[in-house]
Amino acid sequence: MSDIVEKTLTALPGLFLQNQSVSGPAAAKASFSSRLGGLVRGITALTSKHEEEKLIQQELNNLKATVSAPTTTLKMMKECMVRLIYCEMLGYDASFGYIHAIKLAQQGNLLEKRVGYLAVSLFLHESHELLLLLVNTVVKDLQSTNLVEVCMALTIVSQIFPREMIPAVLPLIEDKLQHSKEIIRRKAVLALYKFYLIAPNQVQHIHIKFRKALCDRDVGVMAASLHIYLRMIKENSSAYKDLTGSFVTILKQVVGGKLPVDFNYHSVPAPWLQIQLLRILGLLGKDDQRTSELMYDVLDESLRRAELNHNVTYAILFECVHTVYSVYPKSELLEKAAKCIGRFVLSPKINLKYLGLKALTYVIQQDPTLALQHQMTIIECLDHPDPIIKREVLGEYSYLLDKETPEEVITKLYKLLRSDSISSETKAWIIAAVTKLTPQAHSSNIVERLIQEFTTSLDTCLRQHAFELKHLHENVKFMKGLLPVDKSCEDMVVDASLSFLDGFVAEELSQGAAPYKPHHQRQEEKLSQGKVLSFEPYGLSFSSSGFSGRQSPAGISLGSDISGNSTETGLKETNSLKLEGIKKLWGKEGYLPKKESKTGDETEALPVPQENIIMENVDQIITKNDQSQALTQSKEEKEKQLLASSLFVGLGSESTISLLGKADTLSHKFRRKSKVKETKSGQTTTAENVTRSSFSSSSNVTYEEDYYLDNFQDRGDKEIKKFSLNSELLDSESLTELPLIEKISNCRLSTPSLFAVNNMEVFHPPQSTAASVANEISLASSLLEETTEHMHSDLMEVCHNETISVSSYKIWKDECLLMVWSVFNKSASELKSANLEIAPAENFKITEQPGCCLPVIEAESTRNFQYSVQMEKPFTEGNLSGFINYQVMDTHSVQLEFSVNLSLLDFIRPLKISTEDFGKLWLSFANDVKQNVKMSESQAALPSTLKALQQELRLHVVDIIGNEGLLACQLLPSIPCLLHFRVHGDMLALWFRSSCSTLPDYLLYQCQKSMDRSSGACPYPLLSSWPDQSIQSRVFSFCIPLLKMQETRIASDYILLEKHIYS
Amino acid sequence: MIQAILVFNNHGKPRLVRFYQRFPEEIQQQIIRETFHLVLKRDDNICNFLEGGSLIGGSDYKLIYRHYATLYFVFCVDSSESELGILDLIQVFVETLDKCFENVCELDLIFHMDKVHYILQEVVMGGMVLETNMNEIVAQIEAQNRLEKSEGGLSAAPARAVSAVKNINLPEMPRNINIGDLNIKVPNLSQFV
């Protein structure tokens, strides 16, 4: 996607300006041969809407003169037409040109005709009188021997054609069904479909021809005919039951891969065709056991065959699930379909989650236990930032209601309301839901409690809703009339003009009340008054007094603004039936719900005793099952889980048991989440936690140890051998070198377009392969052991004076970065109360390792202080500063300050996963960054590239396939990042994906840096020699977006500028 | 059925507008604006579907959109279309544009508006999905492009010659040339045309 950023419109004005400044307006004109270019350029250079209007009016006047001039050729007319289309698109009236568009279609040669037809189809509509003038032309073109003319005529017919003139062309188009070219047949089918839509009785007699089209030897024609069948079957399924067999056969062939490969889309055979067929089958099999039985096999096969490798497979799967639930039920299939829904609901991809919830809403009516399975996800979705998702979730409660009494649901919603894990916005939604349910409830204890509690809420929005409910509740009869019991979710028509208030307004006006003025008018008037003569002691006081009603904390402020308020309540009352309406209405006028208010805290402090007991139970059992899991589950999540269980309790008899079972299966997911949360929010984490957040499996450990041992042996020759290649890479190199040469030639032939691999929303449910293998490594081992065991940096002196010298080095441990400061006492006397402290840094979480505070440092000895450092959020480089103080000879205390630089790479660890896992993870990540990097001659080979990446970035080589490589790493504690790269020619296409949005960018930068280093050709030579690293990182933080846009020139200019400023 | 296909940039400037259902001109503009505002306020990480605004469709209709760099591609469809299917159709359309324009960008859509429409016509015809096979679409477009070349070549030569002669501007040409006593009558060229 970022590939087209380079030529954005934002760059457009600059482009033109550049042209003008460089070579004058004449050159700029020459660069746009067409007049359209001139027009567009003119419009782009403008700043205001008004100027645009003027320019376009001028342009239209010119065009008007040109098109009506007798000297204008058809060729010129063609160009004028394109400009007219452009003006019409921007919303300007170009009706004077319509007749000329028709003329062009009538008289022009092929190209001119094409523009004429296009203009006609864009300008006119079906009942436009000018269209009649086109009928003869269409008839003529349909009879033409030129295929292109026939195609154009068919296209225009399917786009706009006057209904009463259909008989004139119908026989011609019917003939086209027998045409030798499949494209003509296909377009003819669609044109007939269009006729069927606008005048069904006119095409009644050709149904038999549709059947022929269905059996056409060309798949495209058959697919086109499915449009018609879907429509007709939707209207009357019983008339087409006999075709079930044919549809099943077609689908079987498609699913079985019998179609030509041309029809594959991302190696899925004709997905759109499959979708269409599944829809038709769903309609045919509805409530019809006999027909349904015909399709069970193929449905089963579809479910089975759908390998989840691409977005479009999910489209098929979704249709398939829908069909399975539409047709006469078969338990086996239902079970499989239910599993599929799980994949949707649990998907991290929001589109699929949305569809999953959509599927749940219709499935829940047949199979409530399925909802039980996904209760946690549903609750989590309530907190989703996407309002559409929320709507789906709350919509589900109305279905749940069928199984429970309204009181139960209200009770559950009330509990949900009291939880502080959901945002206030969601709470507002929930109160709205309660309001809907209240009239159906028989007892209202909870509603009253709720009203009591929330009318004093600090959140205005919640309070508003609570008051609304209160007033309605006081008048039950009225409420019942307002909120009908039939549970229909029909959208109510909102009387936006508030005409029902007209009488009231008239009465008030007759009694001398001031007429209503819009908000802005009132404000303007007040301001102008203020300018003329200010009687107020403080200039601005009046403006606040006007709105004090809104801001006053007391709930009774409702009545302060009579006319405004009455209209608002009126609107709101009707609107509360429509869930999405609420937010819309209150957003504008300042009632917009605030983000996550603190109101929940008080209620949280008094948990309901019953809940407490359950919580303990859950705790105990989970503890038994897996102690570590229980520990990492945050309290908030437990609460969510409880809520979920209590909310869905009515659904299953075995509620508690299933809850506990569920907690277990879902736990890995939470664990992963909680960790991310912890690192983000910066809560203090215990050492245990740090340990647990490691991703490395035991096999990984051994591998790494080998690696480190290698290093250790070669310590003497640091620069070269520190990152010596391990055996695995060497192996892979030798293995891949041969096929590489073969593959490169292949690759040239089939270089995919930028889009081909881009932006495909493919994913897999989070198996979190890495997370689940988290194992514990004891930190209790001594420093010395660790130093030898793990890779570490050189000892570097950070500060010194005559008595001590402090050096530091980094130990890149598997689960964290261990910073070691070793303090060497140079003096002959011992130092007392030595204390080393590290200043808290924004981006880091620092944990002191045991045995750090040393009361005494003996003479001429070294003591170590170690801190484990975790990165809170990704960044390129950061500073860690601190000081050491000690006392000499019991007298005065000395303090020394120091700082060390940490780079992102210090927190990157290899992520050892299998190719399969890589694939799964890859698909589950939403954030990606792509970049092509030019390599020097020496690098232009896969092995050397790999070497560079593996050594410098600590990436794990997952797999090498031809000229492509897969690498994986993780940012501690647990943010995985995957890299896919491909070598072609001297270009290296890098593609990062991660669950973290910023990590790919930073890694890309590091990657480029390392590539430049290893090639010795840094595109920013100045930077590499830059002394101050913080400036470097500043420059780069600015440059990264530029680099992404491949605006290297600007980036380097900027760097030059920076250098200038700072030197 | 697809009701409308709208492409606009990040500032809401329309780049391609194609309605398959009749709307008055001013309503079309309102729809574009409304759709733009609906889509604009959505983050990139929330789902690509949303319900149609008040102007287009209502709850039976869905807006399915994708955001590519500076452009939003929005398809307004009714319930007979598969959401994910349309999402991939947008991808197919954009990939096809990319193939036809070689690394497509917003400028291509502006300066070759007519061509973009022709490509779209091969993908969606009268609101129905006509072709989803990218190679097939590109083949059709290439066939049309060949036509363009041949039209500009030999086959168009006579027509061009005629129009060229027609366009020769001869008002200043003296009708009579007087050299002394000689009076030469200049024939009226346009008679020959």
Side-chain angles (χ1 to χ4, degrees), chain A residues 823-846:
Chain A
V823 182
F824 176 58
N825 182 1
K826 291 190 270 191
S827 66
S829 55
E830 64 177 35
L831 304 174
K832 281 186 180 153
S833 335
N835 183 29
L836 186 127
E837 259 181 56
I838 303 298
E842 203 186 349
N843 291 324
F844 300 111
K845 192 174 66 198
I846 302 144

mmCIF file of all heavy atoms in Angstrom, chain A residues 823-846:
data_model
loop_
_atom_site.group_PDB
_atom_site.id
_atom_site.type_symbol
_atom_site.label_atom_id
_atom_site.label_comp_id
_atom_site.label_asym_id
_atom_site.label_seq_id
_atom_site.Cartn_x
_atom_site.Cartn_y
_atom_site.Cartn_z
ATOM 1 N N VAL A 823 31.773 -1.954 39.117
ATOM 2 C CA VAL A 823 32.445 -0.831 39.777
ATOM 3 C C VAL A 823 33.785 -1.330 40.308
ATOM 4 O O VAL A 823 33.840 -2.292 41.083
ATOM 5 C CB VAL A 823 31.570 -0.308 40.937
ATOM 6 C CG1 VAL A 823 32.234 0.869 41.595
ATOM 7 C CG2 VAL A 823 30.194 0.057 40.421
ATOM 8 N N PHE A 824 34.792 -0.714 39.830
ATOM 9 C CA PHE A 824 36.121 -1.135 40.244
ATOM 10 C C PHE A 824 36.696 -0.091 41.198
ATOM 11 O O PHE A 824 36.764 1.091 40.880
ATOM 12 C CB PHE A 824 37.015 -1.271 39.003
ATOM 13 C CG PHE A 824 38.434 -1.612 39.339
ATOM 14 C CD1 PHE A 824 38.728 -2.770 40.074
ATOM 15 C CD2 PHE A 824 39.473 -0.786 38.931
ATOM 16 C CE1 PHE A 824 40.051 -3.083 40.379
ATOM 17 C CE2 PHE A 824 40.789 -1.101 39.243
ATOM 18 C CZ PHE A 824 41.076 -2.256 39.964
ATOM 19 N N ASN A 825 37.047 -0.566 42.340
ATOM 20 C CA ASN A 825 37.616 0.331 43.341
ATOM 21 C C ASN A 825 39.128 0.383 43.141
ATOM 22 O O ASN A 825 39.844 -0.575 43.408
ATOM 23 C CB ASN A 825 37.263 -0.210 44.736
ATOM 24 C CG ASN A 825 37.783 0.696 45.824
ATOM 25 O OD1 ASN A 825 38.385 1.733 45.547
ATOM 26 N ND2 ASN A 825 37.540 0.289 47.055
ATOM 27 N N LYS A 826 39.607 1.521 42.639
ATOM 28 C CA LYS A 826 41.031 1.628 42.313
ATOM 29 C C LYS A 826 41.871 1.952 43.544
ATOM 30 O O LYS A 826 43.068 1.717 43.583
ATOM 31 C CB LYS A 826 41.235 2.749 41.282
ATOM 32 C CG LYS A 826 40.662 2.413 39.925
ATOM 33 C CD LYS A 826 41.093 3.413 38.881
ATOM 34 C CE LYS A 826 40.090 4.546 38.803
ATOM 35 N NZ LYS A 826 40.302 5.424 37.622
ATOM 36 N N SER A 827 41.180 2.544 44.525
ATOM 37 C CA SER A 827 41.932 3.040 45.670
ATOM 38 C C SER A 827 42.343 1.894 46.598
ATOM 39 O O SER A 827 41.894 0.759 46.427
ATOM 40 C CB SER A 827 41.081 4.042 46.455
ATOM 41 O OG SER A 827 39.993 3.352 47.021
ATOM 42 N N ALA A 828 43.166 2.234 47.540
ATOM 43 C CA ALA A 828 43.672 1.224 48.459
ATOM 44 C C ALA A 828 42.750 1.036 49.656
ATOM 45 O O ALA A 828 42.944 0.127 50.460
ATOM 46 C CB ALA A 828 45.067 1.612 48.933
ATOM 47 N N SER A 829 41.771 1.921 49.767
ATOM 48 C CA SER A 829 40.872 1.792 50.917
ATOM 49 C C SER A 829 39.507 1.297 50.446
ATOM 50 O O SER A 829 39.155 1.400 49.270
ATOM 51 C CB SER A 829 40.722 3.138 51.623
ATOM 52 O OG SER A 829 40.298 4.088 50.659
ATOM 53 N N GLU A 830 38.748 0.798 51.388
ATOM 54 C CA GLU A 830 37.442 0.294 50.984
ATOM 55 C C GLU A 830 36.405 1.416 50.952
ATOM 56 O O GLU A 830 36.499 2.396 51.672
ATOM 57 C CB GLU A 830 36.988 -0.834 51.910
ATOM 58 C CG GLU A 830 36.769 -0.403 53.337
ATOM 59 C CD GLU A 830 36.243 -1.568 54.170
ATOM 60 O OE1 GLU A 830 36.656 -2.713 53.901
ATOM 61 O OE2 GLU A 830 35.419 -1.323 55.051
ATOM 62 N N LEU A 831 35.448 1.209 50.077
ATOM 63 C CA LEU A 831 34.392 2.204 49.913
ATOM 64 C C LEU A 831 33.148 1.695 50.610
ATOM 65 O O LEU A 831 32.826 0.515 50.536
ATOM 66 C CB LEU A 831 34.090 2.415 48.426
ATOM 67 C CG LEU A 831 35.279 2.815 47.560
ATOM 68 C CD1 LEU A 831 34.865 2.837 46.105
ATOM 69 C CD2 LEU A 831 35.816 4.169 47.986
ATOM 70 N N LYS A 832 32.483 2.620 51.250
ATOM 71 C CA LYS A 832 31.313 2.196 52.010
ATOM 72 C C LYS A 832 30.019 2.736 51.387
ATOM 73 O O LYS A 832 30.026 3.733 50.666
ATOM 74 C CB LYS A 832 31.431 2.675 53.461
ATOM 75 C CG LYS A 832 32.354 1.764 54.232
ATOM 76 C CD LYS A 832 32.394 2.099 55.687
ATOM 77 C CE LYS A 832 33.345 1.139 56.401
ATOM 78 N NZ LYS A 832 33.895 1.766 57.583
ATOM 79 N N SER A 833 28.951 2.067 51.747
ATOM 80 C CA SER A 833 27.592 2.424 51.294
ATOM 81 C C SER A 833 27.537 2.748 49.805
ATOM 82 O O SER A 833 26.956 3.744 49.399
ATOM 83 C CB SER A 833 27.009 3.623 52.044
ATOM 84 O OG SER A 833 27.562 3.770 53.290
ATOM 85 N N ALA A 834 28.223 1.941 49.062
ATOM 86 C CA ALA A 834 28.164 2.156 47.617
ATOM 87 C C ALA A 834 26.746 1.875 47.138
ATOM 88 O O ALA A 834 26.149 0.874 47.505
ATOM 89 C CB ALA A 834 29.147 1.243 46.909
ATOM 90 N N ASN A 835 26.271 2.755 46.351
ATOM 91 C CA ASN A 835 24.899 2.606 45.898
ATOM 92 C C ASN A 835 24.796 3.083 44.456
ATOM 93 O O ASN A 835 25.238 4.180 44.121
ATOM 94 C CB ASN A 835 23.966 3.439 46.805
ATOM 95 C CG ASN A 835 22.526 3.254 46.419
ATOM 96 O OD1 ASN A 835 22.164 2.185 45.912
ATOM 97 N ND2 ASN A 835 21.728 4.285 46.612
ATOM 98 N N LEU A 836 24.231 2.252 43.640
ATOM 99 C CA LEU A 836 24.077 2.619 42.238
ATOM 100 C C LEU A 836 22.596 2.719 41.927
ATOM 101 O O LEU A 836 21.835 1.805 42.225
ATOM 102 C CB LEU A 836 24.752 1.557 41.368
ATOM 103 C CG LEU A 836 24.796 1.868 39.884
ATOM 104 C CD1 LEU A 836 26.208 1.755 39.365
ATOM 105 C CD2 LEU A 836 23.885 0.953 39.119
ATOM 106 N N GLU A 837 22.234 3.831 41.384
ATOM 107 C CA GLU A 837 20.813 4.003 41.082
ATOM 108 C C GLU A 837 20.621 4.397 39.632
ATOM 109 O O GLU A 837 21.379 5.190 39.082
ATOM 110 C CB GLU A 837 20.209 5.084 41.991
ATOM 111 C CG GLU A 837 19.432 4.481 43.144
ATOM 112 C CD GLU A 837 18.829 5.532 44.027
ATOM 113 O OE1 GLU A 837 18.081 6.371 43.502
ATOM 114 O OE2 GLU A 837 19.140 5.504 45.246
ATOM 115 N N ILE A 838 19.598 3.839 39.079
ATOM 116 C CA ILE A 838 19.275 4.143 37.686
ATOM 117 C C ILE A 838 18.008 4.984 37.670
ATOM 118 O O ILE A 838 17.014 4.651 38.295
ATOM 119 C CB ILE A 838 19.030 2.845 36.891
ATOM 120 C CG1 ILE A 838 20.239 1.912 36.976
ATOM 121 C CG2 ILE A 838 18.697 3.160 35.439
ATOM 122 C CD1 ILE A 838 21.490 2.486 36.380
ATOM 123 N N ALA A 839 18.103 6.090 36.970
ATOM 124 C CA ALA A 839 16.933 6.981 36.898
ATOM 125 C C ALA A 839 15.837 6.307 36.086
ATOM 126 O O ALA A 839 16.119 5.676 35.076
ATOM 127 C CB ALA A 839 17.335 8.296 36.247
ATOM 128 N N PRO A 840 14.631 6.443 36.553
ATOM 129 C CA PRO A 840 13.544 5.843 35.763
ATOM 130 C C PRO A 840 13.456 6.504 34.388
ATOM 131 O O PRO A 840 13.514 7.731 34.287
ATOM 132 C CB PRO A 840 12.279 6.125 36.583
ATOM 133 C CG PRO A 840 12.643 7.111 37.609
ATOM 134 C CD PRO A 840 14.136 7.124 37.748
ATOM 135 N N ALA A 841 13.376 5.716 33.378
ATOM 136 C CA ALA A 841 13.323 6.249 32.021
ATOM 137 C C ALA A 841 11.959 5.946 31.413
ATOM 138 O O ALA A 841 11.323 4.967 31.748
ATOM 139 C CB ALA A 841 14.430 5.644 31.164
ATOM 140 N N GLU A 842 11.598 6.808 30.533
ATOM 141 C CA GLU A 842 10.261 6.752 29.954
ATOM 142 C C GLU A 842 9.987 5.427 29.246
ATOM 143 O O GLU A 842 8.932 4.831 29.403
ATOM 144 C CB GLU A 842 10.142 7.898 28.959
ATOM 145 C CG GLU A 842 8.736 8.324 28.685
ATOM 146 C CD GLU A 842 8.716 9.368 27.578
ATOM 147 O OE1 GLU A 842 9.794 9.875 27.197
ATOM 148 O OE2 GLU A 842 7.637 9.655 27.104
ATOM 149 N N ASN A 843 10.953 5.034 28.480
ATOM 150 C CA ASN A 843 10.694 3.881 27.605
ATOM 151 C C ASN A 843 11.085 2.544 28.216
ATOM 152 O O ASN A 843 10.903 1.513 27.588
ATOM 153 C CB ASN A 843 11.450 4.051 26.294
ATOM 154 C CG ASN A 843 10.865 5.174 25.471
ATOM 155 O OD1 ASN A 843 9.656 5.372 25.469
ATOM 156 N ND2 ASN A 843 11.725 5.925 24.818
ATOM 157 N N PHE A 844 11.670 2.600 29.394
ATOM 158 C CA PHE A 844 12.202 1.355 29.948
ATOM 159 C C PHE A 844 11.527 0.985 31.248
ATOM 160 O O PHE A 844 11.047 1.835 31.980
ATOM 161 C CB PHE A 844 13.701 1.497 30.225
ATOM 162 C CG PHE A 844 14.497 1.813 29.014
ATOM 163 C CD1 PHE A 844 15.095 3.050 28.868
ATOM 164 C CD2 PHE A 844 14.638 0.885 28.010
ATOM 165 C CE1 PHE A 844 15.830 3.352 27.746
ATOM 166 C CE2 PHE A 844 15.377 1.188 26.886
ATOM 167 C CZ PHE A 844 15.969 2.428 26.748
ATOM 168 N N LYS A 845 11.566 -0.287 31.487
ATOM 169 C CA LYS A 845 11.153 -0.756 32.798
ATOM 170 C C LYS A 845 12.382 -1.426 33.396
ATOM 171 O O LYS A 845 12.953 -2.340 32.798
ATOM 172 C CB LYS A 845 10.004 -1.752 32.655
ATOM 173 C CG LYS A 845 9.335 -2.050 33.960
ATOM 174 C CD LYS A 845 8.132 -2.926 33.720
ATOM 175 C CE LYS A 845 8.604 -4.278 33.205
ATOM 176 N NZ LYS A 845 7.535 -5.020 32.569
ATOM 177 N N ILE A 846 12.786 -0.913 34.516
ATOM 178 C CA ILE A 846 14.051 -1.391 35.070
ATOM 179 C C ILE A 846 13.784 -2.155 36.363
ATOM 180 O O ILE A 846 13.073 -1.673 37.240
ATOM 181 C CB ILE A 846 14.991 -0.197 35.343
ATOM 182 C CG1 ILE A 846 15.203 0.568 34.033
ATOM 183 C CG2 ILE A 846 16.309 -0.654 35.904
ATOM 184 C CD1 ILE A 846 15.319 2.028 34.203
#
